[in-house]
Amino acid sequence: MSVRRFIPTPESLLTLRRKSGTPVWLSLFWRVLLALALIGVALAGHWFDRDGLRDNIDGVISFADVLYFTMITVTTVGYGDIVPVTQQARLFDTFVVTPVRLFVWLIFLGTAYDFLLKRVWEKWRMSVIQAKLHGHVVVAGFGTSGSEAVSELIRRGTHPESIVVIDQHDDSLKAAEACGANVIDGDATRNATLEAVKVDRARSIVVSAGRDDTSILIVLTARRLAPDVPISVVIRSEDNEALARQAGANTVINPASFAGLLLAGSTHGPHIADYMADLANAGGPITLHERAVTPDEIGKPLCDIATGVGLRIYRGADHLEERTTRLEAGDLIVEVVSKPDAKG
């Protein structure tokens, strides 16, 4: 499990890849074997051309001397007690042993990075990102609905670094990274995954797993870990909407039902669907806004608010539609407001 940020990659560097089925120990074994094979090439070359070497200690080149010279040459130590003296031996060291040395070092450095430094780096980087996760939005599932939700959040002013996407598909994670969001490769139904994204400190949770059973399980898990965080979930089947609410979802959205409402509304007027779309997204000249009543508005009717057109009052578990209703402390107002840059 890792949290990561996006670094843009040129299209020319993109590669077709899939998860390797090779165990870690086997990968390490092949790297060691390759390094030994390269050293063996250098050892064989020095042995067959041992007449081109000179031992400044006793003047005799034995196999132990060749092995010793090969190892100190590959490791770039070089004490000068054994040296190449012929042109052929020097050329062999230049054009064979030097590349072998570089490849061996790259193999061991790459192995150290993959099996030690990379994990330490990712763990440290994850802790840094986690420390900054306060008041963020957690999006579980980056399919069609999840990606649209993230795009709309960004259009509405949410900073991408305040969004965390949970998914298990690499292409979805890359797409979320391209938006600038934090991403985590994990199962959102598991406690460990939701705890890693600090779901208890989130501002809200958006669940769009693509399957109703998975989405409801995510809602159950998230509600247990974050009792007070608002949860919105996409449910495909109308029969499962009640289950999602029982699981702890504050808002249940059925895309098919909502699309049906727009279609039906469009039959009663050609502009109704357009108006609803303007209300729902950040690109239109008007938008819906929910806020708490201000102290100077208490006692006034909903129709007298100055920030927009008041549509509904939420008072506890009830909602009031009458625009002449007097506002009270603790009320929530849903209003239509104009964009600052809207024309007309």
Side-chain angles (χ1 to χ4, degrees):
M1 176 188 309
S2 62
V3 174
R4 54 188 181 178
R5 296 301 312 281
F6 173 72
I7 299 177
T9 303
E11 291 185 5
S12 60
L13 298 181
L14 294 176
T15 56
L16 180 65
R17 60 193 177 100
R18 62 181 178 182
K19 184 178 179 181
S20 174
T22 305
V24 173
W25 66 268
L26 186 58
S27 176
L28 180 61
F29 170 78
W30 281 115
R31 295 185 188 202
V32 172
L33 188 63
L34 178 59
L36 292 176
L38 291 172
I39 294 174
V41 170
L43 177 63
H46 284 145
W47 174 251
F48 289 116
D49 191 36
R50 57 187 179 277
D51 292 339
L53 302 177
R54 183 175 66 193
D55 188 337
N56 293 322
I57 303 301
D58 57 13
V60 179
I61 299 294
S62 64
F63 180 77
D65 292 329
V66 172
L67 178 62
Y68 161 76
F69 175 71
T70 299
M71 295 308 297
I72 64 171
T73 303
V74 169
T75 57
T76 70
V77 178
Y79 294 110
D81 47 354
I82 299 178
V83 294
V85 293
T86 66
Q87 184 178 14
Q88 181 176 336
R90 290 173 178 172
L91 289 175
F92 179 79
D93 281 348
T94 300
F95 294 107
V96 178
V97 177
T98 297
V100 165
R101 178 189 307 125
L102 294 176
F103 277 114
V104 169
W105 276 106
L106 287 174
I107 290 171
F108 280 104
L109 287 175
T111 302
Y113 173 75
D114 285 341
F115 293 96
L116 178 62
L117 299 178
K118 183 178 180 180
R119 296 181 182 181
V120 173
W121 167 257
E122 289 183 347
K123 185 176 180 180
W124 174 82
R125 194 179 182 206
M126 182 173 177
S127 65
V128 171
I129 295 174
Q130 286 175 324
K132 298 179 180 179
L133 293 179
H134 292 274
H136 54 293
V137 179
V138 176
V139 179
F142 200 74
T144 302
S145 299
S147 60
E148 286 294 331
V150 170
S151 298
E152 184 64 20
L153 282 168
I154 295 173
R155 284 195 294 266
R156 290 172 179 262
T158 301
H159 198 284
E161 292 186 2
S162 298
I163 301 173
V164 181
V165 173
I166 305 172
D167 206 294
Q168 292 181 289
H169 299 91
D170 198 50
D171 54 347
S172 297
L173 294 174
K174 287 181 178 179
E177 287 176 326
C179 296
N182 303 295
V183 302
I184 184 168
D185 183 356
D187 183 355
T189 65
R190 298 175 62 95
N191 287 359
T193 304
L194 295 180
E195 289 172 349
V197 300
K198 303 302 178 183
V199 70
D200 57 318
R201 302 199 307 237
R203 169 164 59 96
S204 60
I205 303 169
V206 176
V207 180
S208 178
R211 289 174 52 101
D212 286 358
D213 53 352
T214 305
S215 294
I216 292 172
L217 182 55
I218 294 173
V219 172
L220 278 169
T221 307
R223 178 54 68 213
R224 189 177 69 83
L225 296 174
D228 302 320
V229 177
I231 301 177
S232 301
V233 61
V234 174
I235 295 296
R236 310 289 176 179
S237 173
E238 186 177 352
D239 295 338
N240 293 327
E241 293 181 18
L243 291 175
R245 290 189 176 90
Q246 291 175 10
N250 301 90
T251 305
V252 178
I253 299 171
N254 188 320
S257 296
F258 187 71
L261 293 175
L262 290 179
L263 288 172
S266 66
T267 65
H268 292 276
H271 303 300
I272 291 178
D274 288 340
Y275 186 76
M276 292 294 293
D278 284 341
L279 287 175
N281 71 78
I286 56 174
T287 188
L288 286 172
H289 181 235
E290 180 177 332
R291 64 176 178 85
V293 66
T294 59
D296 60 302
E297 293 173 332
I298 295 175
K300 295 181 180 180
L302 180 60
C303 61
D304 281 355
I305 64 173
T307 55
V309 179
L311 300 179
R312 177 177 286 184
I313 301 172
Y314 282 89
R315 185 170 294 162
D318 301 323
H319 58 81
L320 310 174
E321 309 290 348
E322 185 62 50
R323 297 188 67 235
T324 59
T325 302
R326 301 290 173 176
L327 296 169
E328 297 180 3
D331 285 350
L332 292 176
I333 299 172
V334 175
E335 60 183 348
V336 176
V337 297
S338 298
K339 299 293 181 59
D341 56 349
K343 296 180 181 180

